[in-house]
Amino acid sequence: MKFRKKISVSTALGLAPAMLVGLTATGASAHGSNEFPASRIYNCWHEQTKGGQLDEGCKQFIAKDPQALSEWQSVKHGDANRKHHAAVPDGYLASAKSDNYNIQQHLDDHGIPWKSTDLSQLYQNGNEIEFKWSASASHTGHISYYISKPGAVEKADKENRDVNWEDLQDIPFLVAYTHDDRSGATDDTGTGLGALYTNKAKLPNNLPHGKYVVYAVWERMLPGDSPSPLIDKEHQIFGNNGTGESFYSYSDVTL
């Protein structure tokens, strides 16, 4: 089953219409992580479960956190309540210091040679990029995608750390609805309720060649909640009935 849902744009909130797009989903979705560009944990889970050759970064990560991939889809806070800076401290954006931090803490290990997705050709050609969220359960909500500021990753490298909140651009380049659809269509999550949400968007103009992070925040809504576009990376405004549950995805990329 496929469906497309359009987001209405509130120009009064200062968000460009191009940032808010329709969402194509196959099956159901919500819990999960970014498939393209692959988040750190999704890449390792996919390499391990699909029988591929583990890259060096994944080998090191799994050696340090051998149980991490059992909860690949749960880099989350059940009670973030839209206060993402409080829920996810600086220094912990990759792991989100999540509910499963005890088995995933080395997602924040800057010494691990994490695999990076090369988006340079797509970006330099001015193409839209298809962002994919692989999920294992379905809920209504938003996925908001941010990219780091130019030079932020290189600066963080010199300081032997990952990027912090202040290193991300304030406004997401893409915000998309997710839909609660229990069709049971299958994907590679193996749940029978999984989904692949796909969204096409262009990255901001005039980003210089270099290393970047694409950071995604997925926040649930309850049925009947009144969604509004996201204001900035600290405040997602969805009315009064949000569940507070949020998922976080950290993808290393090159432009």
Side-chain angles (χ1 to χ4, degrees), residues 53-69:
Q53 182 68 33
L54 288 177
D55 64 69
E56 183 58 30
C58 289
K59 288 179 182 178
Q60 292 185 25
F61 173 55
I62 293 170
K64 293 180 177 183
D65 283 337
Q67 301 301 314
L69 302 186

Side-chain angles (χ1 to χ4, degrees), residues 113-124:
W114 299 105
K115 186 176 182 179
S116 181
T117 301
D118 189 353
L119 301 177
S120 57
Q121 186 171 355
L122 288 170
Y123 182 70
Q124 291 165 15

Side-chain angles (χ1 to χ4, degrees), residues 202-221:
K202 288 187 176 183
L203 293 172
N205 294 326
N206 302 317
L207 295 176
H209 175 72
K211 296 163 65 176
Y212 291 83
V213 167
V214 171
Y215 198 65
V217 179
W218 179 87
E219 187 175 74
R220 289 182 58 184
M221 295 188 301

Side-chain angles (χ1 to χ4, degrees), residues 103-144:
I103 61 170
Q104 296 174 340
Q105 59 187 285
H106 286 95
L107 282 171
D108 301 308
D109 190 335
H110 191 71
I112 291 177
W114 299 105
K115 186 176 182 179
S116 181
T117 301
D118 189 353
L119 301 177
S120 57
Q121 186 171 355
L122 288 170
Y123 182 70
Q124 291 165 15
N125 291 340
N127 295 329
E128 286 188 322
I129 298 171
E130 190 170 63
F131 295 87
K132 300 178 181 180
W133 183 279
S134 184
S136 58
S138 172
H139 305 293
T140 302
H142 279 109
I143 303 175
S144 302

